[in-house]
mmCIF file of all heavy atoms in Angstrom:
data_model
loop_
_atom_site.group_PDB
_atom_site.id
_atom_site.type_symbol
_atom_site.label_atom_id
_atom_site.label_comp_id
_atom_site.label_asym_id
_atom_site.label_seq_id
_atom_site.Cartn_x
_atom_site.Cartn_y
_atom_site.Cartn_z
ATOM 1 N N PHE A 143 52.083 8.149 -51.700
ATOM 2 C CA PHE A 143 53.069 7.102 -51.976
ATOM 3 C C PHE A 143 54.496 7.719 -51.908
ATOM 4 O O PHE A 143 54.690 8.841 -52.357
ATOM 5 C CB PHE A 143 52.837 6.493 -53.377
ATOM 6 C CG PHE A 143 53.588 5.250 -53.610
ATOM 7 C CD1 PHE A 143 53.103 4.020 -53.212
ATOM 8 C CD2 PHE A 143 54.829 5.292 -54.255
ATOM 9 C CE1 PHE A 143 53.823 2.850 -53.423
ATOM 10 C CE2 PHE A 143 55.572 4.141 -54.472
ATOM 11 C CZ PHE A 143 55.060 2.904 -54.060
ATOM 12 N N PRO A 144 55.476 7.027 -51.316
ATOM 13 C CA PRO A 144 56.796 7.561 -51.246
ATOM 14 C C PRO A 144 57.369 7.941 -52.643
ATOM 15 O O PRO A 144 57.256 7.174 -53.577
ATOM 16 C CB PRO A 144 57.637 6.418 -50.645
ATOM 17 C CG PRO A 144 56.639 5.598 -49.876
ATOM 18 C CD PRO A 144 55.349 5.706 -50.658
ATOM 19 N N GLY A 145 57.916 9.140 -52.730
ATOM 20 C CA GLY A 145 58.436 9.628 -53.988
ATOM 21 C C GLY A 145 57.449 10.446 -54.813
ATOM 22 O O GLY A 145 57.810 11.012 -55.815
ATOM 23 N N VAL A 146 56.210 10.496 -54.369
ATOM 24 C CA VAL A 146 55.172 11.282 -55.037
ATOM 25 C C VAL A 146 55.016 12.581 -54.246
ATOM 26 O O VAL A 146 54.859 12.564 -53.032
ATOM 27 C CB VAL A 146 53.854 10.537 -55.195
ATOM 28 C CG1 VAL A 146 52.778 11.432 -55.828
ATOM 29 C CG2 VAL A 146 54.042 9.252 -56.023
ATOM 30 N N HIS A 147 55.070 13.703 -54.944
ATOM 31 C CA HIS A 147 55.020 15.000 -54.301
ATOM 32 C C HIS A 147 54.030 15.872 -55.068
ATOM 33 O O HIS A 147 53.706 15.602 -56.205
ATOM 34 C CB HIS A 147 56.392 15.688 -54.356
ATOM 35 C CG HIS A 147 57.492 14.865 -53.855
ATOM 36 N ND1 HIS A 147 57.821 14.753 -52.541
ATOM 37 C CD2 HIS A 147 58.371 14.020 -54.525
ATOM 38 C CE1 HIS A 147 58.850 13.942 -52.386
ATOM 39 N NE2 HIS A 147 59.192 13.486 -53.571
ATOM 40 N N THR A 148 53.587 16.934 -54.441
ATOM 41 C CA THR A 148 52.830 17.925 -55.180
ATOM 42 C C THR A 148 53.795 18.744 -56.014
ATOM 43 O O THR A 148 54.967 18.969 -55.599
ATOM 44 C CB THR A 148 52.022 18.858 -54.243
ATOM 45 O OG1 THR A 148 52.944 19.599 -53.436
ATOM 46 C CG2 THR A 148 51.054 18.060 -53.391
ATOM 47 N N ILE A 149 53.355 19.208 -57.130
ATOM 48 C CA ILE A 149 54.213 20.076 -57.947
ATOM 49 C C ILE A 149 54.548 21.340 -57.191
ATOM 50 O O ILE A 149 55.676 21.837 -57.223
ATOM 51 C CB ILE A 149 53.558 20.380 -59.326
ATOM 52 C CG1 ILE A 149 53.587 19.101 -60.164
ATOM 53 C CG2 ILE A 149 54.242 21.533 -60.036
ATOM 54 C CD1 ILE A 149 52.897 19.195 -61.493
ATOM 55 N N GLU A 150 53.576 21.850 -56.448
ATOM 56 C CA GLU A 150 53.791 23.058 -55.642
ATOM 57 C C GLU A 150 54.985 22.893 -54.702
ATOM 58 O O GLU A 150 55.757 23.830 -54.484
ATOM 59 C CB GLU A 150 52.519 23.368 -54.845
ATOM 60 C CG GLU A 150 52.661 24.438 -53.805
ATOM 61 C CD GLU A 150 52.914 25.843 -54.356
ATOM 62 O OE1 GLU A 150 52.592 26.089 -55.497
ATOM 63 O OE2 GLU A 150 53.429 26.657 -53.586
ATOM 64 N N SER A 151 55.174 21.678 -54.154
ATOM 65 C CA SER A 151 56.246 21.476 -53.191
ATOM 66 C C SER A 151 57.626 21.356 -53.802
ATOM 67 O O SER A 151 58.624 21.456 -53.109
ATOM 68 C CB SER A 151 55.964 20.245 -52.316
ATOM 69 O OG SER A 151 56.088 19.040 -53.071
ATOM 70 N N VAL A 152 57.698 21.098 -55.133
ATOM 71 C CA VAL A 152 59.023 20.910 -55.767
ATOM 72 C C VAL A 152 59.335 21.959 -56.842
ATOM 73 O O VAL A 152 60.480 22.007 -57.299
ATOM 74 C CB VAL A 152 59.158 19.495 -56.358
ATOM 75 C CG1 VAL A 152 59.086 18.428 -55.274
ATOM 76 C CG2 VAL A 152 58.108 19.230 -57.455
ATOM 77 N N ALA A 153 58.358 22.751 -57.220
ATOM 78 C CA ALA A 153 58.564 23.761 -58.289
ATOM 79 C C ALA A 153 59.412 24.922 -57.758
ATOM 80 O O ALA A 153 59.251 25.304 -56.595
ATOM 81 C CB ALA A 153 57.213 24.261 -58.819
ATOM 82 N N PRO A 154 60.265 25.459 -58.600
ATOM 83 C CA PRO A 154 61.048 26.644 -58.170
ATOM 84 C C PRO A 154 60.181 27.892 -58.154
ATOM 85 O O PRO A 154 59.158 27.968 -58.838
ATOM 86 C CB PRO A 154 62.123 26.736 -59.259
ATOM 87 C CG PRO A 154 61.478 26.169 -60.475
ATOM 88 C CD PRO A 154 60.570 25.046 -59.959
ATOM 89 N N VAL A 155 60.599 28.868 -57.365
ATOM 90 C CA VAL A 155 59.970 30.177 -57.369
ATOM 91 C C VAL A 155 60.625 31.001 -58.469
ATOM 92 O O VAL A 155 61.836 31.093 -58.520
ATOM 93 C CB VAL A 155 60.128 30.854 -56.007
ATOM 94 C CG1 VAL A 155 59.586 32.292 -56.059
ATOM 95 C CG2 VAL A 155 59.413 30.077 -54.917
ATOM 96 N N ILE A 156 59.844 31.567 -59.357
ATOM 97 C CA ILE A 156 60.352 32.332 -60.470
ATOM 98 C C ILE A 156 60.014 33.815 -60.171
ATOM 99 O O ILE A 156 58.837 34.156 -60.032
ATOM 100 C CB ILE A 156 59.718 31.928 -61.792
ATOM 101 C CG1 ILE A 156 59.807 30.409 -62.003
ATOM 102 C CG2 ILE A 156 60.340 32.709 -62.972
ATOM 103 C CD1 ILE A 156 61.188 29.846 -62.084
ATOM 104 N N ASP A 157 61.023 34.640 -60.061
ATOM 105 C CA ASP A 157 60.793 36.044 -59.740
ATOM 106 C C ASP A 157 60.777 36.962 -60.967
ATOM 107 O O ASP A 157 60.172 38.014 -60.938
ATOM 108 C CB ASP A 157 61.878 36.560 -58.781
ATOM 109 C CG ASP A 157 61.732 35.932 -57.406
ATOM 110 O OD1 ASP A 157 60.584 35.751 -56.948
ATOM 111 O OD2 ASP A 157 62.750 35.611 -56.784
ATOM 112 N N THR A 158 61.495 36.552 -62.025
ATOM 113 C CA THR A 158 61.584 37.411 -63.215
ATOM 114 C C THR A 158 61.310 36.574 -64.447
ATOM 115 O O THR A 158 61.887 35.506 -64.627
ATOM 116 C CB THR A 158 62.989 38.015 -63.320
ATOM 117 O OG1 THR A 158 63.261 38.744 -62.150
ATOM 118 C CG2 THR A 158 63.099 38.974 -64.504
ATOM 119 N N HIS A 159 60.410 37.069 -65.281
ATOM 120 C CA HIS A 159 60.067 36.353 -66.521
ATOM 121 C C HIS A 159 61.325 36.267 -67.385
ATOM 122 O O HIS A 159 62.044 37.263 -67.562
ATOM 123 C CB HIS A 159 58.950 37.086 -67.259
ATOM 124 C CG HIS A 159 58.271 36.250 -68.271
ATOM 125 N ND1 HIS A 159 58.882 35.807 -69.406
ATOM 126 C CD2 HIS A 159 57.014 35.772 -68.303
ATOM 127 C CE1 HIS A 159 58.042 35.082 -70.094
ATOM 128 N NE2 HIS A 159 56.899 35.045 -69.459
ATOM 129 N N ASP A 160 61.594 35.073 -67.942
ATOM 130 C CA ASP A 160 62.810 34.886 -68.747
ATOM 131 C C ASP A 160 62.783 35.645 -70.068
ATOM 132 O O ASP A 160 63.824 35.841 -70.694
ATOM 133 C CB ASP A 160 63.117 33.384 -68.956
ATOM 134 C CG ASP A 160 61.999 32.640 -69.670
ATOM 135 O OD1 ASP A 160 60.972 33.253 -70.079
ATOM 136 O OD2 ASP A 160 62.135 31.414 -69.833
ATOM 137 N N ALA A 161 61.660 36.165 -70.470
ATOM 138 C CA ALA A 161 61.586 36.934 -71.695
ATOM 139 C C ALA A 161 62.397 38.233 -71.585
ATOM 140 O O ALA A 161 62.913 38.750 -72.595
ATOM 141 C CB ALA A 161 60.156 37.263 -72.089
ATOM 142 N N PHE A 162 62.555 38.775 -70.366
ATOM 143 C CA PHE A 162 63.330 40.000 -70.184
ATOM 144 C C PHE A 162 64.820 39.743 -70.576
ATOM 145 O O PHE A 162 65.386 40.511 -71.345
ATOM 146 C CB PHE A 162 63.275 40.495 -68.742
ATOM 147 C CG PHE A 162 61.952 41.122 -68.402
ATOM 148 C CD1 PHE A 162 61.024 40.400 -67.665
ATOM 149 C CD2 PHE A 162 61.633 42.424 -68.816
ATOM 150 C CE1 PHE A 162 59.784 40.988 -67.327
ATOM 151 C CE2 PHE A 162 60.413 42.992 -68.496
ATOM 152 C CZ PHE A 162 59.488 42.263 -67.765
ATOM 153 N N ALA A 163 65.385 38.617 -70.119
ATOM 154 C CA ALA A 163 66.781 38.319 -70.452
ATOM 155 C C ALA A 163 66.913 37.998 -71.943
ATOM 156 O O ALA A 163 67.894 38.398 -72.572
ATOM 157 C CB ALA A 163 67.286 37.154 -69.613
ATOM 158 N N MET A 164 65.948 37.267 -72.502
ATOM 159 C CA MET A 164 66.028 36.940 -73.920
ATOM 160 C C MET A 164 65.957 38.209 -74.758
ATOM 161 O O MET A 164 66.723 38.379 -75.704
ATOM 162 C CB MET A 164 64.930 35.992 -74.331
ATOM 163 C CG MET A 164 64.950 35.626 -75.813
ATOM 164 S SD MET A 164 63.705 34.449 -76.288
ATOM 165 C CE MET A 164 64.444 32.959 -75.714
ATOM 166 N N ALA A 165 65.041 39.100 -74.412
ATOM 167 C CA ALA A 165 64.922 40.354 -75.162
ATOM 168 C C ALA A 165 66.228 41.137 -75.055
ATOM 169 O O ALA A 165 66.726 41.659 -76.085
ATOM 170 C CB ALA A 165 63.747 41.170 -74.644
ATOM 171 N N GLN A 166 66.774 41.225 -73.844
ATOM 172 C CA GLN A 166 68.017 41.981 -73.666
ATOM 173 C C GLN A 166 69.141 41.373 -74.507
ATOM 174 O O GLN A 166 69.926 42.104 -75.088
ATOM 175 C CB GLN A 166 68.411 41.987 -72.198
ATOM 176 C CG GLN A 166 69.619 42.844 -71.903
ATOM 177 C CD GLN A 166 69.950 42.884 -70.422
ATOM 178 O OE1 GLN A 166 69.457 42.099 -69.636
ATOM 179 N NE2 GLN A 166 70.805 43.808 -70.079
ATOM 180 N N SER A 167 69.237 40.021 -74.565
ATOM 181 C CA SER A 167 70.268 39.393 -75.331
ATOM 182 C C SER A 167 70.154 39.675 -76.833
ATOM 183 O O SER A 167 71.110 39.529 -77.590
ATOM 184 C CB SER A 167 70.309 37.884 -75.098
ATOM 185 O OG SER A 167 69.221 37.260 -75.756
ATOM 186 N N ARG A 168 68.997 40.118 -77.249
ATOM 187 C CA ARG A 168 68.738 40.436 -78.658
ATOM 188 C C ARG A 168 68.614 41.918 -78.896
ATOM 189 O O ARG A 168 68.114 42.364 -79.931
ATOM 190 C CB ARG A 168 67.498 39.680 -79.143
ATOM 191 C CG ARG A 168 67.724 38.205 -79.065
ATOM 192 C CD ARG A 168 66.589 37.414 -79.578
ATOM 193 N NE ARG A 168 66.938 35.980 -79.432
ATOM 194 C CZ ARG A 168 66.133 35.008 -79.661
ATOM 195 N NH1 ARG A 168 64.906 35.257 -80.043
ATOM 196 N NH2 ARG A 168 66.495 33.761 -79.490
ATOM 197 N N GLY A 169 69.067 42.677 -77.912
ATOM 198 C CA GLY A 169 69.075 44.147 -78.053
ATOM 199 C C GLY A 169 67.730 44.799 -77.931
ATOM 200 O O GLY A 169 67.538 45.927 -78.418
ATOM 201 N N MET A 170 66.783 44.113 -77.361
ATOM 202 C CA MET A 170 65.433 44.644 -77.191
ATOM 203 C C MET A 170 65.180 44.955 -75.723
ATOM 204 O O MET A 170 65.864 44.414 -74.839
ATOM 205 C CB MET A 170 64.366 43.629 -77.658
ATOM 206 C CG MET A 170 64.447 43.264 -79.112
ATOM 207 S SD MET A 170 63.348 41.865 -79.536
ATOM 208 C CE MET A 170 61.800 42.416 -78.879
ATOM 209 N N THR A 171 64.192 45.777 -75.479
ATOM 210 C CA THR A 171 63.729 45.967 -74.111
ATOM 211 C C THR A 171 62.250 45.665 -74.066
ATOM 212 O O THR A 171 61.539 45.740 -75.076
ATOM 213 C CB THR A 171 63.954 47.423 -73.638
ATOM 214 O OG1 THR A 171 63.258 48.290 -74.517
ATOM 215 C CG2 THR A 171 65.437 47.776 -73.619
ATOM 216 N N ILE A 172 61.797 45.300 -72.918
ATOM 217 C CA ILE A 172 60.362 45.088 -72.669
ATOM 218 C C ILE A 172 59.934 46.144 -71.675
ATOM 219 O O ILE A 172 60.463 46.201 -70.564
ATOM 220 C CB ILE A 172 60.090 43.668 -72.130
ATOM 221 C CG1 ILE A 172 60.508 42.593 -73.166
ATOM 222 C CG2 ILE A 172 58.602 43.515 -71.771
ATOM 223 C CD1 ILE A 172 60.395 41.154 -72.658
ATOM 224 N N ASP A 173 59.009 46.992 -72.093
ATOM 225 C CA ASP A 173 58.495 48.029 -71.182
ATOM 226 C C ASP A 173 57.466 47.406 -70.249
ATOM 227 O O ASP A 173 56.729 46.525 -70.624
ATOM 228 C CB ASP A 173 57.867 49.150 -71.989
ATOM 229 C CG ASP A 173 58.866 49.889 -72.862
ATOM 230 O OD1 ASP A 173 60.050 49.983 -72.409
ATOM 231 O OD2 ASP A 173 58.502 50.350 -73.951
ATOM 232 N N GLY A 174 57.450 47.879 -69.027
ATOM 233 C CA GLY A 174 56.484 47.377 -68.060
ATOM 234 C C GLY A 174 57.163 46.574 -66.991
ATOM 235 O O GLY A 174 58.319 46.139 -67.153
#
Side-chain angles (χ1 to χ4, degrees):
F143 192 85
V146 177
H147 309 275
T148 63
I149 289 177
E150 170 68 22
S151 71
V152 298
V155 173
I156 310 298
D157 291 322
T158 303
H159 198 293
D160 59 4
F162 287 102
M164 179 178 282
Q166 184 178 15
S167 74
R168 296 183 181 173
M170 297 172 53
T171 59
I172 297 175
D173 295 327

